[in-house]
Amino acid sequence: MKKRRVIQRKKIIIYYVLAIVFPCIILGILAYRGVKNDQALLEREQGLTFQESGQEISNEIEAHFRVVEKSFDKLIISRPKPDKDLFSDSVLNSLITIFPVIEGIFHLSDKNKVSLLNQGLLYGSQKSKGSKSGYPFTPAEQTLERAWKLEFIQNEYSKAIDLYRSALGGNNTIQDQGEFNNAIARLQKKLGRPKEAIKTYNSLLNNYSDVFIQGDIPLGMIALLESGLLYLEMKDTIQCLETFNSLLNQIMDSRWSINHSTFYNTISKIKETNSLLEDAGAEVESLLKDSKMLLENIRVLEQKSAYLLTLTNKTWSIQSEQSSIADNSSNRYLFNNNGNSYFVFLSMLEEHGQWGLIYNQEYFLHNIIHTTIRKIADESIFNWELADNYGSIMLNSENISSNAIPVKVMLSPSLPSWTLLFYPKSEEFLSSFIQTRGGIFFYIFLLIVIILACGLFFTLYTVNNELRLTRMKSNFITTVSHEFKSPLTLIRQMAEMLDEGRVPDENRQKKYYSSILQESERLSHLIDNILDFSKMEAGQKIFNFEEGNLAMVVEETVRSFQHQLTDKGFQLKLNLHEVIPDSIFDKEAIRQVLQNLIDNACKYSDDSKIIEVKVSKVDSGISISVKDFGIGIKKDEQDKIFSRFYRAGDELTQKVKGSGIGLIIVKQIVEAHKGAIKLKSELGKGSDFQLILPLKI
Ligand code: ADP
C-alpha cells in the first residue's frame, strides 16, 4: 500500500516535471539568452554613444585651441612690424589672462633661437645690460675710479663719500647718479652710520630703482636688500621683515628683469635672515608667515621659469622635434626637451616672424579636458581614463573596476595622440535583466514559477490527503467486514448446535443463548454506528430532542453494559452523587455516545480493568465523563482521533478491532447538542473523555 502511494507520488512529480518544469526551464533559458542579447545590444549602443561623445569632446577641445590660436594670430597681424619687441607687457598679459592655457609666448629667430617674452618669469637668461664702454673713460667713470681706490685700497671712506657727493652735482646720467648714491650708502654703512645709509637707500629706491649696476643688478633691489640687512643689524626685526617682504613681492611681480644668480643670491639672503629670526618672538610671527608664503609662491614660479627657460638654452628647430601630434597642419607640437614635455603652437604667419605659444599642460588636462568631459558626457553612466601615447594614465575618474572592458576613443589628430577610455558602469546581470526590456518577462517568469511551486505543493497535499482517505476507507471496509464476520460466525455455530440438540446441558444452553444475544447486540450496535455515520455524512441524521434527565439515561446505559463488562473482568464505576437537573437531548444519540466511549475505554484499557463514568453539574451545563486507565493517546494524535477513519497508529491499537468512526459519531452528536468534548490523556496512563452538554439547545 505504502509502496503504491510512493509510486503515485513519483508519477505526479514526473508528469509535473515533464509538463511544467521542463518547459519552464526552456523558457527560462530563452529568457536568459534574450537578456544577454539585450545586454550585448546595450553595450553596442553604449559603445556608439561613447564614440560620439569622444568625438564631441575632441571637437570641443579643438575649438578651444582654435579660439586661442586665432586670437594670437590676430594679435601678430595687428602689429605693424615683424619685430619681437612689438609685444608689450600688457598685450602679453592680457592674452594670458584671457586664456590661462597659455603658459608662455616665444619668438623663434631665423637661427632657430627661442626668445621668451613672458613677463611672468622670475628671472631671465639675459646678459649684462649697461656694459662698460672701455677706454676712454667718461668723467663720471673717472670719478668712480678714484673713489673706488679711496674706498677699497686706502680705506678712506669719508673722503670717498665727499668725492661722490661732489660728483653728484655735475652733469651726470641717471645711471651714474644711481651708482654714486649706491656707493654713498655703502660707505655710510661701512662708517657705522646705518640710519644715514638707510635714508640713502630709500632715496635710491624712490629715484633709481630701475637703474642696473654691474650690468644686471637693479638698484631698487640692492636698496631693499641692504636696508633690510641694516634694520636687522639695528635689531629692528619688524622693519627688516617688512622690507624683505616688499622685496619678495616685487620679485614675484617680475618688477625687474634679473638673471638667475641675482635672483638666487637675493632669495638665499632672505631665507638666511628668516631662519635667524625663527625664534624672534610673537611680534614678527605673522610677518615671518607672510614671508614664507611669498617664498613658497616664488618657488612655484621659479619652477615655471626654469621649465620655460629650458627651451631657450639651445638652438633647435621645433618642427624637427619628434612630435606626438599626428596632424602637422595644425602647427601644434608635443615633444620632450631636456626631460620636460612641451606642448607648443607655432604661428604660420611667417612674414610677421615666427611666433609661438607654449601651452600649460596641467591646465590643459585638468581644466580643458576634464571640464569638457563633464560638460559633454553623463559621468553617472561611465568611468573614464586618459592615457598618453605610451599607455600611461594621466587623468581618470574614480572607482574604475579592473576587469571592465573600455571603449577607446582617440583625440582628434590635431591634438596630442592621447586616448580616452570609457568604462561603462556595468550593471550586474540580474539588475540589467530587471531594468531592460527582458525585465517584464523576468517578473512574469518569476510569477509563473511561484504559482507552479504553489500548485505542486497543493497538488501533492491534496493527493496525499485523498490517498490517506482511500487507505482509511479500505481499512474501514476490511475491519467492518471482519467485525461483522466474527459475531455472525459465532451466532451461526451456536444456533446450529442448539438447533441440532447437541447442547444437552441446560446451563450451557443458557450460556449459548446469552452469547447469541450479546453478539447480536454487538452487531446491531455496529450497524447503528455505520448507519448513523453515513446519515451524518450525508447530513440526513435527524435528532429527536426531548426533555429528560441525563443522569438517568447514563445510569440505564451503564447498567446495560455492567453485566457484559463484568464478564470480561472489568470494573465499571458510576459516579452519580449530584442531583442533575433535567435538560434537552436526544436520548438514543446520548446512549450511542456513551456506548462508543465505554466500548473504546474497554478496547484500549490493556491490563488495567477499571472504567469510571461520572455525571456532574458544571457552569455551562452537565458534564459526562468516561475515564479509563489504559494505553492513553499521544499528544499529537489527540486532535486527529476525532477525524473520520482515523486510528492512532500505535502497535497495540492496531491489534484492537475498530472501524475509526466511533469518535467522529461522538463528536457530531455532541456538536448537534451544541456541546463540547474535552480530552485529557497521557500515554500509558489512560484517557478521560469529558462531554459538556448544555441544559437547553
Ligand atoms: P475505533 O473503532 O478504532 O475505536 P474510534 O473513532 O472510536 O475508532 O477511535 C479512534 C481512535 O482513537 C482509536 O483507533 C484509538 O486509537 C483512539 N482511541 C479512542 N478511544 C481511546 C481510549 N479510550 N484510549 C486510547 N485510545 C483511544
Side-chain angles (χ1 to χ4, degrees):
M1 191 68 176
K2 205 171 173 187
K3 213 172 155 192
R4 237 182 65 200
R5 271 173 59 206
V6 172
I7 291 170
Q8 249 171 327
R9 211 174 298 161
K10 269 188 185 165
K11 261 189 189 168
I12 292 173
I13 293 175
I14 290 170
Y15 290 149
Y16 193 84
V17 166
L18 285 177
I20 295 164
V21 179
F22 187 61
C24 262
I25 290 173
I26 296 198
L27 267 179
I29 293 171
L30 289 177
Y32 175 84
R33 282 185 53 185
V35 173
K36 271 276 168 205
N37 284 346
D38 266 7
Q39 218 181 11
L41 211 72
L42 207 74
E43 275 169 16
R44 225 180 10 247
E45 274 172 22
Q46 255 178 352
L48 284 175
T49 320
F50 288 146
Q51 288 288 351
E52 275 170 22
S53 303
Q55 206 49 56
E56 233 178 294
I57 290 165
S58 221
N59 292 345
E60 178 96 5
I61 297 169
E62 174 69 32
H64 188 97
F65 282 113
R66 282 248 173 80
V67 172
V68 176
E69 288 155 8
K70 261 195 185 151
S71 311
F72 183 56
D73 279 348
K74 244 192 213 161
L75 212 60
I76 296 168
I77 297 166
S78 66
R79 301 287 155 163
K81 268 199 303 172
D83 181 354
K84 69 176 176 178
D85 290 335
L86 56 80
F87 284 93
S88 73
D89 300 354
S90 60
V91 170
L92 195 76
N93 280 334
S94 73
L95 203 67
I96 293 182
T97 323
I98 300 168
F99 304 113
V101 69
I102 302 175
E103 177 129 38
I105 297 175
F106 64 91
H107 177 262
L108 199 60
S109 73
D110 297 340
K111 290 173 184 149
N112 281 330
K113 181 86 188 96
V114 172
S115 317
L116 285 164
L117 293 153
N118 286 56
Q119 296 308 300
L121 293 179
L122 288 183
Y123 54 86
S125 56
Q126 66 273 40
K127 293 278 162 285
S128 304
K129 287 186 173 30
S131 59
K132 298 238 177 219
S133 48
Y135 289 103
F137 292 132
T138 61
E141 280 167 352
Q142 285 168 5
T143 311
L144 271 174
E145 172 103 8
R146 273 191 289 131
W148 191 87
K149 275 184 186 154
L150 279 173
E151 184 182 348
F152 292 101
I153 297 173
Q154 295 157 8
N155 289 343
E156 296 277 5
Y157 302 146
S158 302
K159 282 184 183 165
I161 288 183
D162 292 342
L163 192 58
Y164 284 126
R165 285 226 168 95
S166 66
L168 272 175
N171 197 9
N172 297 310
T173 62
I174 189 149
Q175 171 83 30
D176 296 333
Q177 285 193 17
E179 287 201 37
F180 293 160
N181 273 308
N182 182 43
I184 292 169
R186 187 176 64 228
L187 284 161
Q188 283 168 332
K189 186 181 169 188
K190 282 185 180 170
L191 281 167
R193 302 204 292 257
K195 281 187 182 157
E196 279 177 37
I198 289 173
K199 230 170 136 187
T200 316
Y201 278 129
N202 273 343
S203 86
L204 207 62
L205 182 69
N206 293 332
N207 305 314
Y208 307 102
S209 193
D210 296 324
V211 170
F212 282 72
I213 62 162
Q214 293 157 24
D216 45 24
I217 311 175
L219 278 178
M221 198 165 180
I222 294 178
L224 281 169
L225 187 68
E226 289 299 331
S227 50
L229 290 171
L230 281 166
Y231 282 127
L232 185 70
E233 238 176 68
M234 288 159 63
K235 305 246 177 315
D236 190 346
T237 47
I238 294 180
Q239 276 294 337
C240 164
L241 281 173
E242 276 177 355
T243 314
F244 281 169
N245 285 356
S246 132
L247 176 56
L248 287 175
N249 268 316
Q250 304 208 32
I251 291 174
M252 211 169 73
D253 293 345
S254 310
R255 165 83 162 80
W256 306 285
S257 173
I258 53 176
N259 66 21
H260 185 246
S261 66
T262 308
F263 165 80
Y264 182 79
N265 290 337
T266 311
I267 295 293
S268 306
K269 266 265 164 355
I270 294 175
K271 279 185 182 165
E272 227 171 81
T273 312
N274 276 357
S275 61
L276 283 177
L277 295 177
E278 205 66 66
D279 305 315
E283 69 263 27
V284 294
E285 206 177 298
S286 84
L287 284 169
L288 213 55
K289 220 166 112 188
D290 290 348
S291 170
K292 281 183 185 160
M293 214 170 71
L294 286 164
L295 282 168
E296 178 54 28
N297 292 342
I298 286 172
R299 196 188 60 80
V300 175
L301 287 173
E302 188 188 353
Q303 278 177 353
K304 177 184 165 179
S305 307
Y307 168 78
L308 289 173
L309 283 166
T310 311
L311 268 188
T312 65
N313 282 350
K314 65 172 191 170
T315 308
W316 45 243
S317 151
I318 286 178
Q319 291 95 324
S320 65
E321 287 289 333
Q322 206 180 17
S323 167
S324 63
I325 292 181
D327 179 8
N328 275 338
S329 66
S330 68
N331 294 323
R332 292 188 201 116
Y333 303 88
L334 180 69
F335 56 85
N336 284 315
N337 182 284
N338 267 337
N340 292 326
S341 159
Y342 294 93
F343 180 22
V344 302
F345 165 74
L346 264 188
S347 164
M348 278 293 102
L349 306 161
E350 273 168 31
E351 70 273 24
H352 296 270
Q354 282 231 309
W355 294 90
L357 295 173
I358 303 166
Y359 287 125
N360 181 330
Q361 289 184 58
E362 283 295 301
Y363 187 89
F364 174 40
L365 282 177
H366 295 283
N367 295 61
I368 301 183
I369 298 192
H370 199 170
T371 322
T372 315
I373 292 175
R374 287 217 169 130
K375 189 175 126 194
I376 291 180
D378 176 7
E379 261 189 301
S380 66
I381 58 160
F382 67 89
N383 289 311
W384 58 269
E385 279 177 341
L386 181 72
D388 66 11
N389 43 333
Y390 301 107
S392 335
I393 304 303
M394 297 190 290
L395 207 65
N396 58 352
S397 60
E398 288 160 4
N399 308 325
I400 295 176
S401 74
S402 53
N403 52 4
I405 302 164
V407 176
K408 293 182 183 177
V409 183
M410 286 281 289
L411 293 187
S412 76
S414 56
L415 291 171
S417 25
W418 295 341
T419 315
L420 262 173
L421 299 115
F422 291 101
Y423 293 85
K425 283 186 183 161
S426 63
E427 303 285 349
E428 288 290 306
F429 174 75
L430 197 68
S431 58
S432 81
F433 190 54
I434 291 167
Q435 278 163 26
T436 56
R437 278 166 284 167
I440 183 76
F441 299 116
F442 171 72
Y443 290 121
I444 293 173
F445 177 73
L446 207 70
L447 198 76
I448 292 174
V449 168
I450 292 171
I451 292 171
L452 289 181
C454 293
L456 179 66
F457 174 76
F458 283 116
T459 315
L460 285 177
Y461 180 77
T462 323
V463 167
N464 239 8
N465 265 357
E466 280 307 310
L467 286 174
R468 198 163 54 90
L469 217 64
T470 318
R471 177 175 52 96
M472 283 174 166
K473 272 182 188 163
S474 100
N475 277 357
F476 169 75
I477 291 165
T478 321
T479 33
V480 164
S481 330
H482 191 76
E483 291 247 317
F484 273 119
K485 206 175 171 186
S486 41
L488 272 175
T489 319
L490 217 72
I491 290 168
R492 219 182 75 195
Q493 279 174 356
M494 283 190 279
E496 265 177 19
M497 282 169 84
L498 286 169
D499 185 40
E500 288 166 9
R502 282 197 276 155
V503 191
D505 182 10
E506 207 168 302
N507 272 349
R508 274 191 74 182
Q509 276 182 5
K510 236 183 179 175
K511 211 176 165 191
Y512 273 35
Y513 283 125
S514 97
S515 283
I516 289 171
L517 191 72
Q518 262 183 40
E519 289 304 314
S520 55
E521 266 172 7
R522 222 180 98 192
L523 263 181
S524 69
H525 170 58
L526 192 61
I527 292 166
D528 281 351
N529 258 357
I530 293 169
L531 285 175
D532 276 346
F533 172 68
S534 88
K535 274 186 193 162
M536 281 177 207
E537 283 295 287
Q540 290 165 352
K541 168 83 183 164
I542 297 161
F543 289 94
N544 185 18
F545 294 111
E546 280 174 8
E547 189 163 356
N549 194 287
L550 262 177
M552 276 171 62
V553 175
V554 172
E555 198 179 359
E556 248 174 61
T557 319
V558 169
R559 296 262 173 266
S560 70
F561 269 99
Q562 198 85 45
H563 180 63
Q564 189 185 336
L565 289 180
T566 319
D567 275 1
K568 289 184 184 165
F570 276 95
Q571 201 186 332
L572 184 59
K573 292 181 184 172
L574 178 64
N575 189 339
L576 245 177
H577 302 304
E578 283 178 53
V579 178
I580 304 297
D582 284 353
S583 60
I584 301 205
F585 56 91
D586 179 328
K587 200 172 156 187
E588 277 313 307
I590 294 300
R591 194 169 282 155
Q592 196 177 1
V593 165
L594 273 173
Q595 243 175 349
N596 285 357
L597 289 179
I598 294 171
D599 198 31
N600 278 352
C602 194
K603 282 198 290 188
Y604 305 109
S605 264
D606 206 12
D607 292 335
S608 137
K609 299 284 180 192
I610 299 170
I611 299 169
E612 283 177 9
V613 179
K614 186 180 173 186
V615 184
S616 57
K617 169 95 185 63
V618 288
D619 285 348
S620 48
I622 297 160
S623 147
I624 306 169
S625 75
V626 178
K627 187 175 178 183
D628 65 67
F629 301 89
I631 60 167
I633 305 157
K634 274 195 213 161
K635 271 256 162 321
D636 59 325
E637 287 191 311
Q638 290 183 4
D639 280 339
K640 295 179 189 165
I641 56 170
F642 292 97
S643 20
R644 47 186 67 77
F645 309 125
Y646 190 87
R647 304 202 66 217
D650 187 65
E651 226 182 293
L652 185 78
T653 51
Q654 296 296 346
K655 277 185 217 159
V656 178
K657 287 175 201 158
S659 54
I661 57 168
L663 284 181
I664 180 88
I665 291 171
V666 171
K667 189 182 166 200
Q668 285 179 354
I669 291 174
V670 171
E671 276 172 3
H673 282 77
K674 301 211 166 56
I677 307 175
K678 285 181 187 168
L679 168 63
K680 278 184 213 152
S681 180
E682 210 175 317
L683 209 61
K685 287 195 177 167
S687 315
D688 182 1
F689 287 86
Q690 187 190 14
L691 319 176
I692 300 185
L693 299 171
L695 292 176
K696 283 181 186 164
I697 298 165

